[in-house]
Amino acid sequence: MPSHGRYTGPGKGREDRVRKPTISDLAKAAGVSVTTVSHAFSGRRHVDPQTRERIQRLADQLGYHPSSMARALRSGRSGVIALASSMPFAVAAGPSRLGFLMEIAASAAMSALTRDLALCLIPPHPSAQSYGAASFDGVMLVEPMRDDPLVRHFEQRKTPIVSIGTVPGRPDIPAVDLRSRETADLLLDHLADQGCRQVAALIGASPRTSQIESAEAYGAFAARHAMRPRLILLDEEDAEATAYSQVLDLLRSDGAIEGIFASIDAFATGAIRAAHEAGRAIPGSLRLVTRYDGLRAKLSHPPLTAVDLHLPAVAEKAVGLLLDQIDGCKQAEKADLPELVVRASSQGTEK
Amino acid sequence: MPSHGRYTGPGKGREDRVRKPTISDLAKAAGVSVTTVSHAFSGRRHVDPQTRERIQRLADQLGYHPSSMARALRSGRSGVIALASSMPFAVAAGPSRLGFLMEIAASAAMSALTRDLALCLIPPHPSAQSYGAASFDGVMLVEPMRDDPLVRHFEQRKTPIVSIGTVPGRPDIPAVDLRSRETADLLLDHLADQGCRQVAALIGASPRTSQIESAEAYGAFAARHAMRPRLILLDEEDAEATAYSQVLDLLRSDGAIEGIFASIDAFATGAIRAAHEAGRAIPGSLRLVTRYDGLRAKLSHPPLTAVDLHLPAVAEKAVGLLLDQIDGCKQAEKADLPELVVRASSQGTEK
DNA sequence: CTGCTTTTGCAAATCGTTTTGCTATCCGAC
DNA sequence: GTCGGATAGCAAAACGATTTGCAAAAGCAG
């Protein structure tokens, strides 16, 4: 039984605030009907330029702004889209790994604004049922998991969905493909190019497309190079710490490892610490690459070879796709091309 | 003459999507009036438990959810608050220095959600007039400048405002004081404690409270220690690069400098590079501290001594204050206590 | 002057809720 | 028997815009 969110009544203390002028106040002041005012603003019908001018002037004078709530009700669109993620907020309520999500958020906010939309950030609700009082015209999910409760939630609510990164098992949901398979191939091939014969992979255990495809890519890579696979599935909470201890074990038990592919940047940071601890120089005796080229990869020592996922472009496409989804019905699925950024962590010659 | 935002008419293609059930559909199905349904949900009047139960069941069955747009119109509250910043988005459309703002955004989003609000991110609009179609119950401004156009915009629109960091010259606007003066004192005193006699300051040129108070603190510090002040005002765009070149000049022209106080983390990163270039070891021959303890400070080499500003708590307070502002009228101003985080960049003994 | 179109404007319906009055019934107590 | 007080429910008026249908006036050709 869903709680529909308690309604708290009309704002207490509303009477003591000055009432904002409404369209009929303006109409009265201008000596015309509300219809005329509406048309003067929307331009959907012609109004006498002189009248229109007077209305405009009065509007400025009175400080009139059309109520977007009324407009939303009438038009059925709130002008707000949401960005939701089931994971990163939760693991990073603190400042740890906001990078990926927040880079998307910032870009999406700008893309949204240029289309006269606002972007809402919605963290995963602890008791994931009533998502606030606001209503969204659509929602963008970032890297949802298989059977993600968020997907169910918004589907049931008939809110248009666009996923950033495909939804595992749900090819019907429109998505911006993050090209995780290609990304992983890029990174693994790079390691091979750098001469790594034995490569381990640190991959997130959650059933997200990026992790699934990374694992697949790694499997194929191992087969292609007739290499014994060392696939380490890691929990994404407390990523750096668990990566650290697992990699330390690995390096100590298996001296042959020459390269590590970390599908999450925090894994890579953990791996660096482990390598240091195990006395393996990077990139001297161990090469390391990661997927997301965020602040972490850039500021790491040594800087991490990573992939430019073109997140601003991804966000832009997601917003566009969502908009299509909302009022058109274009099911068109779009894609994007990742790009390798080589840095010291994997190069033969130190910068 | 303000553009009030073009209205695009009722969603095209709306007729082909299934109409969501309304309250009167539900009422009809349950054989009661809409009033009863409304009361069944809101609990503002008693309804027979049996009736209520039946309504609930039917609501689930039909997939009914109250329209928040209608609710918003009626109640005058959209359930959405906004977070706006005049600066960081613009300088960091790319991934450069999202840290501060985005840490606040993430925290604020969670704080908002626990109060049944949604948080909108609003980037500074290039043509700063029509901020999307959405309406906000209130807005949080992060570190606005003196005479910030955002302040004017929302004041004119009578949208309740709370500032994160006081607004220079506007003590009347309720704000969460970021305690920039105390923060700067903390850092400068720490440098003095570490034995620095000659300290330079890198401070942002924009008229924000944090920068203003940092400069004041530095001035007082210099006077207190009878030290010739070296105050370097830097443009915040392209912060790292300009800090780099300015600090390089400084170090070359003034060998006495023993410590640097950077009021923005990107300044500090630039300073590190400059120090490296000038052959000054950190913290061996030059100590460096910065204000915001974000990813940059933590991942820097060496890690930067910084201040924990308790941003999640700040965000929480801002949301609370804004809520007071919206429906109560409590003008109460709140504050917070910064805390020093000592790291290698300023310590006598290397970690 | 009639017929036709264009221009300009208004009144009223609509969007989906919440809230305010009002009615009706029943119960128990005086 | 009736007064009071719960209890349960309904009808209708908001909330503030947009949009449809209609009408008055005006211009213009025939």
Side-chain angles (χ1 to χ4, degrees):
Chain A
M1 164 183 343
S3 132
H4 288 286
R6 287 292 166 255
Y7 175 78
T8 56
K12 326 150 195 173
R14 195 145 66 100
E15 60 288 339
D16 57 358
R17 211 186 332 285
V18 278
R19 199 173 66 89
K20 289 195 214 152
T22 78
I23 196 175
S24 59
D25 294 337
L26 180 52
K28 216 162 297 173
V32 297
S33 79
V34 295
T35 314
T36 307
V37 175
S38 175
H39 287 145
F41 281 135
S42 70
R44 292 184 76 80
R45 273 201 194 170
H46 187 81
V47 317
D48 186 274
Q50 201 172 329
T51 320
R52 173 202 220 91
E53 163 68 23
R54 193 178 26 154
I55 291 178
Q56 284 280 12
R57 206 175 36 240
L58 276 171
D60 284 0
Q61 211 173 92
L62 270 60
Y64 167 77
H65 296 276
S67 146
S68 32
M69 302 188 227
R71 179 177 282 194
L73 175 58
R74 186 71 229 278
S75 69
R77 317 248 298 234
S78 64
V80 180
I81 60 178
L83 181 74
S85 158
S86 53
M87 204 248 309
F89 266 90
V91 344
S96 74
R97 51 181 304 270
L98 299 175
F100 186 78
L101 176 64
M102 284 308 176
E103 190 177 339
I104 292 186
S107 305
M110 305 207 59
S111 299
L113 201 72
T114 66
R115 293 172 158 89
D116 247 307
L117 292 173
L119 182 88
C120 259
L121 239 43
I122 64 180
H125 199 281
S127 63
Q129 41 187 19
S130 134
Y131 271 111
S135 79
F136 312 113
D137 293 341
V139 60
M140 300 183 291
L141 266 29
V142 354
E143 295 224 64
M145 301 184 302
R146 183 185 300 279
D147 301 323
D148 200 304
L150 280 174
V151 173
R152 228 196 339 273
H153 178 89
F154 288 109
E155 267 189 332
Q156 186 209 326
R157 211 152 291 220
K158 300 201 210 310
T159 305
I161 298 179
V162 160
S163 177
I164 294 180
T166 53
V167 189
R170 292 297 303 274
D172 55 312
I173 295 181
V176 177
D177 192 325
L178 245 21
R179 305 287 199 104
S180 299
R181 178 61 199 261
E182 289 89 335
T183 302
D185 285 342
L186 224 46
L187 289 164
L188 289 165
D189 289 346
H190 170 72
L191 284 178
D193 288 351
Q194 297 295 312
C196 298
R197 306 284 307 167
Q198 302 301 323
V199 174
L202 307 176
I203 291 182
S206 65
R208 305 178 192 321
T209 298
S210 59
Q211 307 306 309
I212 295 169
E213 291 189 355
S214 290
E216 286 170 4
Y218 178 69
F221 176 84
R224 207 158 59 239
H225 292 265
M227 178 194 82
R228 179 170 68 83
R230 287 97 164 170
L231 177 59
I232 306 184
L233 250 47
L234 295 174
D235 198 22
E236 288 156 34
E237 307 215 15
D238 207 9
E240 182 165 337
T242 63
Y244 168 77
S245 71
Q246 294 277 335
V247 171
L248 197 54
D249 288 354
L250 176 72
L251 290 178
R252 285 186 170 152
S253 71
D254 187 345
I257 304 284
E258 296 167 312
I260 295 184
F261 161 47
S263 72
I264 292 182
D265 54 0
F267 291 163
T269 337
I272 289 189
R273 270 176 47 221
H276 189 77
E277 183 81 14
R280 304 281 301 263
I282 297 179
S285 100
L286 182 69
R287 292 173 211 278
L288 180 60
V289 298
T290 192
R291 176 174 166 248
Y292 166 55
D293 184 31
L295 213 49
R296 231 184 176 95
K298 287 174 185 143
L299 294 181
S300 166
H301 276 254
L304 263 38
T305 291
V307 174
D308 182 351
L309 298 167
H310 303 303
L311 255 26
V314 165
E316 168 69 22
K317 286 192 178 173
V319 172
L321 192 51
L322 185 54
L323 228 51
D324 289 351
Q325 210 60 24
I326 290 171
D327 53 21
C329 292
K330 252 182 288 180
Q331 284 276 6
E333 196 157 328
K334 309 185 184 177
D336 227 48
L337 334 83
E339 225 166 278
L340 193 65
V341 179
V342 178
R343 295 215 182 80
S345 76
S346 68
Q347 273 174 312
T349 59
E350 278 242 41
K351 173 197 125 183
Chain B
M1 161 184 345
S3 132
H4 289 285
R6 289 289 166 255
Y7 176 78
T8 56
K12 326 147 195 175
R14 196 144 65 100
E15 60 290 338
D16 58 357
R17 215 190 324 288
V18 278
R19 200 172 66 89
K20 290 194 214 154
T22 78
I23 197 176
S24 60
D25 294 336
L26 179 51
K28 216 162 296 173
V32 295
S33 78
V34 295
T35 314
T36 308
V37 175
S38 175
H39 287 145
F41 281 135
S42 70
R44 292 183 76 80
R45 274 201 193 170
H46 186 80
V47 317
D48 187 275
Q50 202 171 328
T51 321
R52 173 201 222 91
E53 164 67 24
R54 194 184 25 175
I55 291 177
Q56 284 281 12
R57 206 174 36 240
L58 275 171
D60 285 0
Q61 212 173 95
L62 269 60
Y64 166 77
H65 297 278
S67 147
S68 30
M69 302 187 233
R71 178 176 285 193
L73 175 58
R74 187 68 232 273
S75 67
R77 316 248 297 234
S78 64
V80 180
I81 60 178
L83 182 73
S85 158
S86 53
M87 204 250 308
F89 266 90
V91 343
S96 75
R97 50 182 305 269
L98 298 175
F100 186 78
L101 176 64
M102 284 309 176
E103 189 177 339
I104 292 186
S107 305
M110 305 208 59
S111 298
L113 199 74
T114 65
R115 294 172 158 89
D116 247 307
L117 293 173
L119 183 90
C120 260
L121 240 42
I122 66 181
H125 200 280
S127 63
Q129 41 186 19
S130 134
Y131 270 110
S135 78
F136 311 114
D137 293 341
V139 60
M140 300 184 290
L141 266 29
V142 353
E143 296 223 62
M145 302 184 302
R146 183 185 300 280
D147 301 322
D148 200 304
L150 281 174
V151 173
R152 228 195 340 272
H153 177 89
F154 288 110
E155 267 188 332
Q156 187 208 327
R157 211 153 290 219
K158 301 202 210 307
T159 305
I161 298 180
V162 160
S163 177
I164 295 180
T166 54
V167 189
R170 293 297 303 275
D172 55 312
I173 295 181
V176 177
D177 192 325
L178 244 23
R179 305 287 198 103
S180 298
R181 178 60 199 262
E182 288 89 337
T183 302
D185 286 341
L186 224 46
L187 289 165
L188 289 165
D189 289 347
H190 170 73
L191 284 178
D193 287 351
Q194 298 294 313
C196 298
R197 306 282 308 165
Q198 302 301 324
V199 174
L202 307 176
I203 292 183
S206 64
R208 301 175 153 65
T209 299
S210 60
Q211 307 305 310
I212 295 169
E213 291 188 354
S214 290
E216 286 170 5
Y218 178 68
F221 176 83
R224 205 158 62 240
H225 292 266
M227 178 194 83
R228 178 170 69 84
R230 287 99 165 168
L231 177 58
I232 306 184
L233 249 47
L234 294 175
D235 197 23
E236 287 156 34
E237 307 215 14
D238 207 9
E240 182 165 338
T242 63
Y244 168 76
S245 72
Q246 294 278 334
V247 171
L248 197 54
D249 288 354
L250 175 73
L251 290 178
R252 285 186 170 151
S253 70
D254 186 346
I257 303 282
E258 296 168 313
I260 294 183
F261 161 47
S263 72
I264 292 183
D265 54 0
F267 291 162
T269 336
I272 289 189
R273 270 176 45 221
H276 188 76
E277 182 80 16
R280 302 282 301 262
I282 298 179
S285 98
L286 181 69
R287 291 173 212 279
L288 179 61
V289 298
T290 192
R291 176 173 165 249
Y292 166 54
D293 184 31
L295 213 50
R296 232 186 174 92
K298 288 173 186 144
L299 295 181
S300 166
H301 275 254
L304 264 37
T305 291
V307 174
D308 182 352
L309 298 166
H310 303 302
L311 256 26
V314 165
E316 167 70 22
K317 286 192 178 172
V319 172
L321 192 50
L322 185 55
L323 227 52
D324 290 350
Q325 211 59 23
I326 289 171
D327 53 21
C329 292
K330 252 182 290 180
Q331 282 276 9
E333 196 157 326
K334 309 186 184 177
D336 228 48
L337 335 82
E339 225 166 277
L340 194 65
V341 179
V342 179
R343 296 218 180 80
S345 75
S346 68
Q347 273 175 314
T349 59
E350 278 243 40
K351 175 198 122 180

